[in-house]
Amino acid sequence: MKNPFHHKNRHSVVDMFRPPPGYRLDQAVGTTYSVDFVTLTSVLMAFADAESDEENGSSIPEQLFAFTRLSERLKLFVNRGCILLSGVRESSRICAIYDSLIEEVSLPEGSFHPKLWFLSYKPKQTPENAGAKRIHRLLVGSRNLTLSNCWELAVKLDGQSATGIRRDSVGGVLARYLKSIQQFTECQSNVLDTAIANLPSIEFSLP
């Protein structure tokens, strides 16, 4: 068995979110107990850099514009009252963008505490990507999206769409989990609906 603490198995949180080379984010659904705007911005910057077709990435104005587009493809569910602004003014433009992608969850008993992401990447339209298929990624971590410097244990599984629906597969179980979230929110999200519909037919590669 591989040693999970070996330096080759260590990755930054941002790198785990970053799209594979030649891909860009299509859709993302995340769940966390708490979120800090500084950490969330770092994650979004990893997505925004992949939006650019330039080798040197995007400029700051281009990244901010990319955030606006990403808000239509991303939905993050957070425990009610656990959004941390970290000095960001509530009236700032960045808060207005984040308000559209964050949804608070209020459970009748206890707190909403899972730390999970489902990410879907689509290939860029380039000659090198001719015939390339979408890549789906499942991330399960041990900490929230905050400024904590603690080490994190995480599982990253990549997968692709397969023929047929496998309700007892990892994708099928994840679809039921995301559907259960709708019971505790008033969220109407095409991103969430699409993820629930597609997950049962995704085959993840297990370690």
Side-chain angles (χ1 to χ4, degrees), residues 17 22 31 57 72 97 112 127 135 156 161 206:
F17 283 94
T31 62
E72 300 172 357
I97 295 174
F112 181 73
I135 295 177
K156 181 182 77 170
S161 297
L206 302 178

Side-chain angles (χ1 to χ4, degrees), residues 156-171:
K156 181 182 77 170
L157 303 178
D158 283 353
Q160 292 185 336
S161 297
T163 56
I165 294 177
R166 301 167 176 81
R167 300 191 183 280
D168 294 329
S169 65
V170 172

Side-chain angles (χ1 to χ4, degrees), residues 35-163:
V35 60
D36 180 276
F37 275 16
V38 173
T39 306
L40 180 57
T41 300
S42 298
V43 172
L44 292 182
M45 287 182 71
F47 295 146
D49 282 341
E51 290 289 302
S52 173
D53 293 323
E54 302 294 332
E55 292 184 0
N56 295 328
S58 307
S59 64
I60 296 300
E62 289 172 335
Q63 288 175 333
L64 291 175
F65 181 67
F67 285 4
T68 304
R69 297 198 305 271
L70 288 170
S71 66
E72 300 172 357
R73 304 181 226 160
L74 191 153
K75 185 61 68 175
L76 176 61
F77 294 92
V78 183
N79 188 65
R80 182 177 295 278
C82 292
I83 299 174
L84 312 175
L85 299 179
S86 295
V88 178
R89 290 181 290 114
E90 293 187 48
S91 59
S92 68
R93 183 175 300 178
I94 198 73
C95 278
I97 295 174
Y98 288 175
D99 184 60
S100 65
L101 61 88
I102 294 178
E103 189 79 24
E104 290 189 309
V105 180
S106 180
L107 300 182
E109 297 181 3
S111 299
F112 181 73
H113 224 284
K115 305 164 185 66
L116 178 150
W117 284 82
F118 170 65
L119 309 163
S120 182
Y121 306 109
K122 63 180 180 181
K124 295 182 180 180
Q125 299 300 312
T126 62
E128 296 80 8
N129 278 343
K133 297 181 179 180
R134 288 173 180 260
I135 295 177
H136 306 282
R137 178 169 296 171
L138 172 61
L139 295 177
V140 182
S142 61
R143 50 166 260 190
N144 303 296
L145 284 179
T146 65
L147 294 175
S148 170
N149 290 323
C150 296
W151 282 93
E152 177 174 20
L153 287 175
V155 173
K156 181 182 77 170
L157 303 178
D158 283 353
Q160 292 185 336
S161 297
T163 56

Side-chain angles (χ1 to χ4, degrees), residues 166-176 196 199-202 204:
R166 301 167 176 81
R167 300 191 183 280
D168 294 329
S169 65
V170 172
V173 172
L174 181 56
R176 293 196 296 274
I196 293 172
L199 272 163
S201 62
I202 295 175
F204 290 96

